[in-house]
Amino acid sequence: MDAEEYAELVLRCVERVPAGRVTTYGSIAEAVGAVCGGGGPRQVGTVMSRHGGGMPWWRVVRADGSAPPTHALEARQAWLSEQTPLRPSGSVDLTRAFVAARLPD
DNA sequence: TACTTGACATTTT
DNA sequence: AAAAATGCCAAGT
């Protein structure tokens, strides 16, 4: 399993997340790690930073429901336009929006 | 081989 | 509640 394939799986998981819902780096790491072995939340983050362009990266959040500080503003706009359930604090309400990452069929 | 860097997570201050 | 310390895993230098 090379890094490219790992990235493919991660990206596919992101695409499977419906608008208005989110999943976490950790959840994706679990799903992909189950078949790829190894990997972890950080690897998922790395993949997003390199191949995140062109996909709904704002549907992937940290374990506490917040987006990476570097893209926090854009993420919030995207969440608002998709009507993603947010908490007063500005981060995503995981109890309402979280969906576990699923591997492609 | 050793050290640094990152769109992370968890525990402890 | 918020910040710091630790642990983590792979890739690049």
Side-chain angles (χ1 to χ4, degrees):
Chain A
M1 180 61 68
D2 64 46
E4 279 302 319
E5 297 176 70
Y6 181 84
E8 288 297 311
L9 292 176
V10 169
L11 297 180
R12 283 218 185 68
C13 284
V14 176
E15 284 180 326
R16 284 174 68 85
V17 179
R21 323 280 323 267
V22 301
T23 191
T24 64
Y25 293 95
S27 180
I28 292 179
E30 265 189 71
V32 177
V35 293
C36 263
R42 306 195 69 143
Q43 278 47 260
V44 174
T46 300
V47 169
M48 292 304 287
S49 72
R50 301 180 41 155
H51 313 79
M55 55 201 62
W57 52 263
W58 54 87
R59 295 180 196 158
V60 183
V61 302
R62 305 207 304 210
D64 67 350
S66 59
T70 49
H71 301 74
L73 278 248
E74 315 208 359
R76 199 174 79 230
Q77 288 312 109
W79 293 335
L80 290 174
S81 66
E82 287 187 354
Q83 306 199 319
T84 305
L86 303 180
R87 303 176 21 171
S89 47
S91 45
V92 174
D93 183 349
L94 290 179
T95 70
R96 286 184 187 268
F98 173 79
V99 290
R102 288 185 75 88
L103 249 26
D105 304 313

